[in-house]
Amino acid sequence: MVTYDFVNFDDGLYVTGNPTVKKGITWDGFLWAWQSNVASNWHPLTVLSHMLDCEVFGLNAKGHHLTSLLLHLASVWLLFEVLRRMTGSPGKSAVVAALFGIHPTHVESVAWIAERKDVLSGLFFVLTLGAYLRYTRERTAGRYLLVALTFALGLLSKPMLVTLPCVLLLLDVWPLRRLPVPPSGGIPWRGLRPLLLEKVPLLLLSVAASAVTVYTQTQSMASTQAVSIYRRVANALVSYTVYLGKTIWPAKLAVFYPLPPTVPLWKAVAAGTLLLAITLFVAVRFRRSPWLAVGWLWFLGMMVPVIGLVQVGRQAMADRYTYLPTIGLFLMAAWGLSELLEERRWRRAALATASALAVGALAAAAWVQVGHWQNSLTLFRHTAAVTRNNYLAHLNLASALAKTGARDEAMKHYREALRIQPSFVEGNAGLGSALYRWGRPREALPYLRRAVRLRPNSARMRHSLAVNLEALGRTDEAVTELRKAVELSPNMSRSHHGLGAILHKAGRTDEALQHYRKALDINPGLTELYNPTTALLAQRGQLAEAVRLFAEVVDREPDLAAAHYHLAILLQQTGRSEEARRHLVRALELDPGLAPRR
């Protein structure tokens, strides 16, 4: 797995296409991680972990994969240790940890670089369980603060951990047995009250994380008009049963499962009936087999934030969502099988054999599943093959094929994505952009116009349309679209760059210079802007202003060789030879390729 590449599904948002993250650990980047969100998620620790990887490994995907794998392995070992100390059963704890470590549904969380948030939050989740165990034995303020700290770090990695206080309450019931069940049965309310009060500070952290999540995901949340209440509830019920099925028989796993346009009533009723039957069964068995109820409620409860009642995105479900919730199912399996065989003389051999067979079979399935993550082509060929009407899989496969030069096959998948979902914004934009790159701007125009019509507030869509319009010679329309783009997204450097270039050609140098400077201020790495900006300033007799501009660029980006090089040229032109020499030397130290060829 560590030899695999990045994929064209969110890896660009988090790493390869994120200019702040790619710079590695910087003070500005540190502040940005706490102030911004990525893909409608606020998880600063996850963003900082990506920055650290870029600092150490650059854009070598092997290092990023290695980090995710090591985080996962650490969680597996810690889960075993925590369960062993909680239950006093090393064998069954090892089975749970092994299932967690090698289950095929967890491949997505580990093999997908953009899902770093899963393995990082998973590590803090298990650390919180361990800290809580120590707290229950020592009951000091320091131990409780450690629980709160590890929990907070987990929330800063992925807010899905908001249900963790409820998991701790379940552990109070079993295996910690801090809530003894009265001989007469029923709920021990008197013993429950202090345990609930004990969780209040943690619940407040959950409420705060939930509020931040709702705020950051507002733009991605589907309205009740787009996805009805019935459709959400029905899909949630069916998804629970599908998750169960894939945990038992992990076949046809995919990185994206499209939300179905409708869910038949019979299917929702059948799924709800199955869930209710299991719930009643574990309730009846509670006094004899508390691990069944604890494991089942662990699974049901941890899935609530991502089960689709609040619909975010276009997926019906996702394998990555099972990363921590299925620990509850693994608890049920390990302790349930042991109970089933407890009166058999060959119990230990049977348990060992059954566990070894299960772990071995799942490991083989996981090995196959990992193989699908080699690159974007292998991932989305597999996803398109094992799902139906998967417009996103066809789009991403088309995009990957286009980069390899397989235009005919790419076109087939672009058109298939739009056949399935004609109003698919990214599909229209993707096909339009591909046609433009292939030198067919006239064919591209209707797709790019449709993308803007479907998402009029997207600066990126308007920028793509403007570039295509300029290629067709429709300059005035291109300027209109670029002005709208920079209005919608003032910090979109490439739109300022494009607008400046068109205005420069039209002789509107004042406006052009304004947009050039804005683009450089946003992104000093736009080295292609140095020459036209310098030329404009020199043409206006403002060499001193040019020197000041590029000195500011060097101050912001001291390791940008091209900035030092252009500043050296300007300084030489103004007679400041010694300073020019110093910046030229620095430029050549950073990039020897800038040396003039003889």
Side-chain angles (χ1 to χ4, degrees), residues 96 161 193 211 262 270 293 318 331 349 364 385 427 464 481-482 522 536 539 567:
V96 173
L161 266 60
R193 186 167 180 266
T262 185
L331 286 171
S464 297
E481 293 299 334
L482 285 172
I522 297 166
L536 270 182
Q539 178 185 326
L567 179 55

Side-chain angles (χ1 to χ4, degrees), residues 328-350:
L329 299 180
F330 301 150
L331 286 171
M332 295 176 69
W335 267 263
L337 182 61
S338 176
E339 180 186 38
L340 192 64
L341 299 173
E342 65 181 355
E343 295 180 1
R344 304 290 189 269
R345 286 181 299 176
W346 34 268
R347 169 190 170 192
R348 180 166 296 182

Side-chain angles (χ1 to χ4, degrees), residues 27-179:
W27 178 246
D28 288 342
F30 177 82
L31 295 177
W32 178 85
W34 292 91
Q35 297 168 0
S36 307
N37 67 75
V38 178
S40 299
N41 289 293
W42 185 74
H43 33 41
L45 281 192
T46 295
V47 173
L48 289 171
S49 79
H50 287 303
M51 289 180 179
L52 182 59
D53 273 358
C54 287
E55 182 74 27
V56 177
F57 306 112
L59 291 182
N60 184 339
K62 295 178 183 178
H64 296 256
H65 281 302
L66 179 62
T67 299
S68 293
L69 181 60
L70 291 176
L71 287 169
H72 176 64
L73 292 175
S75 296
V76 172
W77 177 73
L78 286 170
L79 179 63
F80 164 71
E81 282 295 323
V82 169
L83 289 178
R84 180 182 66 81
R85 295 179 186 187
M86 280 187 177
T87 65
S89 300
K92 285 172 278 192
S93 299
V95 170
V96 173
L99 291 173
F100 171 70
I102 54 86
H103 200 280
T105 58
H106 295 176
V107 167
E108 183 175 304
S109 296
V110 185
W112 189 7
I113 290 172
E115 270 310 299
R116 171 65 55 77
K117 50 186 175 286
D118 270 359
V119 290
L120 188 60
S121 65
L123 179 62
F124 286 118
F125 174 87
V126 182
L127 285 172
T128 303
L129 298 187
Y132 186 71
L133 175 62
R134 294 294 297 271
Y135 163 73
T136 60
R137 292 176 176 177
E138 298 182 23
R139 301 294 300 278
T140 64
R143 291 298 180 192
Y144 190 88
L145 285 174
L146 184 59
V147 173
L149 175 62
T150 52
F151 178 42
L153 293 173
L155 291 173
L156 292 172
S157 304
K158 185 177 183 180
M160 184 179 167
L161 266 60
V162 291
T163 55
L164 196 153
C166 300
V167 172
L168 298 181
L169 193 61
L170 290 173
L171 294 175
D172 284 336
V173 176
W174 181 88
L176 299 179
R177 300 189 185 279
R178 300 180 69 205
L179 188 67

Side-chain angles (χ1 to χ4, degrees), residues 479 482-484 486-487 490 492-504 508-522 526 529 533 536:
V479 168
L482 285 172
R483 289 194 189 282
K484 186 64 177 177
V486 297
E487 178 186 328
M492 192 170 178
S493 59
R494 58 184 180 145
S495 291
H496 284 286
H497 181 183
L499 184 53
I502 295 177
L503 294 170
H504 191 174
R508 298 159 67 175
T509 56
D510 287 347
E511 285 185 88
L513 186 57
Q514 177 185 346
H515 287 287
Y516 281 164
R517 296 194 63 163
K518 181 65 175 175
L520 278 175
D521 188 54
I522 297 166
L526 288 171
L529 267 183
T533 305
L536 270 182

